[in-house]
């Protein structure tokens, strides 16, 4: 059978450890036999980042801006132990952070639902996609320990020298104080990314802050979202039959728990940090979470939400058997191929991505899965496969 043709290459960002092993197995067994794969390859493996003084990471981000769609393998973010392990020239920054900064993007994370892996929240029938604002607030704060009596003020000095002051608190004894900020531009980029993603995925968008208490700071988020929605998206949402709604964060949390799922939940930086861990663990498994970075210019970078699965890799290096779940990495590939197919009007490529996803889920539903899923499945007597056997079982399902 003729392979499916591509027109524009994908940006392929290879990575580290166990996920790098899975990456090659997925390409060899599930993609290349069916698709005449065109990629622009960037090796983001730690050794090559070190060899290129991390230039390769920025080059891969630039390529994503040029070509529009990327697929990324998990990568090591170096710490002191990794500097030693790999003999690094420097403790290079997180590749995801570098790529996110270059693309000014927002990350959307969604669980992959499959029969036999039930969410802990009984009424969640569809995925909940979490969009986390990735700039500012408490992550860029300035903190102070206040030793004793005195006053703390916020002071803004404009470039012309004019000062504006607000009293934070007059301390009678010791305490703590904190200053944080955010930027209209960054909030607007976040809003555009959320509205575009809602339209693209035809899902409602929820946004929540604590604007009743934070009447200037959080209220600014609410206003920017509303202004952008009214001016540029309200009509399109109506046509698409989807809804944008704003509510208080505590109300949103209560509604999320009672909802059937199937919407996007946009969160400020801290709320997104906390709530994404809650939502993903309640859906079942980190190895079943997809992640896509969307830039305001409409560039898409797909990856798995989990890391390089270091512990499994060390077992693999010793020649021991591993049972590492490749589902989220397969879905990074299908997400990127589907998007490429949509942008280039290649219905066969879109169809292939959909079929590969269905084959992956059908394999699990037939009782064949990796160990992490076997531990939590409601399917009786699951068959635990190793990393390679699981990928080959998906191939059988795809062919069958
Ligand atoms: P991790 O790779 O996500 O793995 C943590 C644990 O979760 C594993 O030891 C494993 O548990 C389980 N797990 C995760 N993914 C799995 C999969 N696909 N199949 C089966 N089990 C899976 O996190 P980490 O060990 O903390 O980090 C390792 C490296 O990844 C670090 O160097 C970190 O910098 C990097 N990282 C990269 C990204 C990214 O590129 N997006 C994200 C996070 C972390 P068991 O060992 O109990 O089986
Ligand atoms: Mg966190």
């Amino acid at each position: 059978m003729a392979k499916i043709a591509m027109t524009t290459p994908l940006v392929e960002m290879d990575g580290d450890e166990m996920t790098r092993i899975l990456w090659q197995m997925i390409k060899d067994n599930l993609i290349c036999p069916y698709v005449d794969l065109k990629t622009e390859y960037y090796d983001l493996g730690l050794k090559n980042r070190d060899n290129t003084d991390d230039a390769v990471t920025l080059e891969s981000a630039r390529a994503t801006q040029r070509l529009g769609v990327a697929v990324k393998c998990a990568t090591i973010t170096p710490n002191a132990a990794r500097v030693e392990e790999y003999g690094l020239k420097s403790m290079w920054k997180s590749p995801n952070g570098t790529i996110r900064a270059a693309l000014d993007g927002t990350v959307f994370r969604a669980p992959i639902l499959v029969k036999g892996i039930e969410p802990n929240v009984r009424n969640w029938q569809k995925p909940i996609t979490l969009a986390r604002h990735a700039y500012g607030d408490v992550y860029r704060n300035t903190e102070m320990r206040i030793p004793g009596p005195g006053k703390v003020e916020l002071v803004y000095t404009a470039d012309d020298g004019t000062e504006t002051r607000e009293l934070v608190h007059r301390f009678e004894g010791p305490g703590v104080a904190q200053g944080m900020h955010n930027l209209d531009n960054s909030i607007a980029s976040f809003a555009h990314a959320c509205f575009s993603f809602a339209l693209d995925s035809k899902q409602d968008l929820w946004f929540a802050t604590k604007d009743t208490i934070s009447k200037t700071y959080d209220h600014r988020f609410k206003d920017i979202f509303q202004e952008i929605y009214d001016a540029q998206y309200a009509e399109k949402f109506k046509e698409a039959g989807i809804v944008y709604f704003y509510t208080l964060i505590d109300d949103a949390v209560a509604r999320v728990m009672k909802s059937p799922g199937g919407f996007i939940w946009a969160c400020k930086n801290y709320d997104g940090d906390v709530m994404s861990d809650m939502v993903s663990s309640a859906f079942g498994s980190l190895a079943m979470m997809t992640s896509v970075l969307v830039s305001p210019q409409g560039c898409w970078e797909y990856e798995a939400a989990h890391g390089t699965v270091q512990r499994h890799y060390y077992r693999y290096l010793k020649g021991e058997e591993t049972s590492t779940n490749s589902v989220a990495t397969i879905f990074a590939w299908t997400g990127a191929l589907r998007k490429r197919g949509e942008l280039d009007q290649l219905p066969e490529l879109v169809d292939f991505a959909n079929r590969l996803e269905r084959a992956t889920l059908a394999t699990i539903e037939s009782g064949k899965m990796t160990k992490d899923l076997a531990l939590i499945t409601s399917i009786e007597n699951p068959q635990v496969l190793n990393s390679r056997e699981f990928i080959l079982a998906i191939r059988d399902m795809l062919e069958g």
Side-chain angles (χ1 to χ4, degrees), residues 146 148-152 169-173:
I146 308 300
K151 70 176 173 182
V152 172
H169 191 66
R170 164 160 289 288
F171 285 81
E172 303 298 342

Side-chain angles (χ1 to χ4, degrees), residues 106-338:
T106 298
V107 175
F108 296 84
R109 290 196 159 177
I112 300 160
L113 296 200
V114 57
K115 283 194 212 94
I117 311 294
E118 323 299 347
N120 297 332
V121 180
R122 254 178 296 140
N123 41 280
W124 287 356
Q125 287 147 19
K126 293 180 189 166
I128 295 168
T129 302
L130 225 124
R132 172 183 170 188
H133 186 213
Y135 181 83
D137 303 349
V138 74
Y139 302 85
R140 292 271 182 120
N141 68 359
T142 308
E143 302 186 319
M144 223 187 249
R145 175 98 173 75
I146 308 300
K151 70 176 173 182
V152 172
E153 292 177 301
L154 272 183
V155 184
Y156 163 63
T157 313
D159 278 352
D160 68 5
T162 358
E163 282 186 0
T164 315
R165 285 168 183 270
E166 285 284 343
L167 180 68
V168 175
H169 191 66
R170 164 160 289 288
F171 285 81
E172 303 298 342
V176 282
Q178 177 185 69
M180 347 185 257
H181 76 279
N182 221 302
L183 309 170
D184 282 10
N185 272 345
S186 174
I187 301 166
S189 284
F190 176 50
H192 280 295
C194 291
F195 290 128
S196 309
F197 193 85
L199 283 170
D200 195 78
S201 62
K202 299 230 175 347
Q203 298 184 87
D204 291 348
L205 176 68
W206 300 15
F207 181 45
T209 72
K210 195 69 182 176
D211 67 293
T212 47
I213 299 295
S214 175
K215 290 190 169 69
T216 304
Y217 196 109
D218 278 17
H219 205 88
R220 189 77 196 122
F221 282 77
K222 178 184 178 180
D223 285 348
I224 289 176
F225 265 69
Q226 196 62 48
E227 283 159 20
I228 291 176
Y229 177 73
D230 291 342
Q232 297 181 48
Y233 294 96
E235 292 278 303
K236 293 178 192 159
F237 268 53
K238 217 172 172 185
E239 279 165 29
I242 58 172
V243 171
Y244 164 62
F245 94 96
Y246 175 88
T247 185
L248 279 174
I249 184 71
D250 32 354
D251 179 51
V253 170
R255 284 174 188 242
V256 164
M257 297 310 285
K258 287 188 280 185
S259 79
F263 56 90
I264 300 158
W265 185 9
C267 286
K268 284 181 63 198
N269 212 348
Y270 175 81
D271 298 338
D273 185 355
V274 177
M275 291 303 159
S276 64
D277 282 3
M278 187 196 72
V279 169
S280 65
S281 62
F283 267 108
S285 168
L286 189 59
M288 298 290 280
M289 286 293 286
T290 62
S291 182
V292 57
L293 176 74
V294 184
S295 83
Q297 287 76 34
C299 300
W300 303 73
E301 184 240 297
Y302 293 83
E303 63 175 325
H306 61 77
T308 60
V309 212
Q310 179 182 16
R311 286 206 293 208
H312 294 210
Y313 182 59
Y314 289 162
R315 287 208 288 273
Y316 170 89
L317 287 181
K318 281 193 263 168
E320 292 171 20
E321 190 159 277
T322 60
S323 181
T324 315
N325 189 336
S326 46
V327 173
T329 307
I330 293 170
F331 273 62
W333 275 99
T334 53
L337 290 171
R338 185 192 299 105

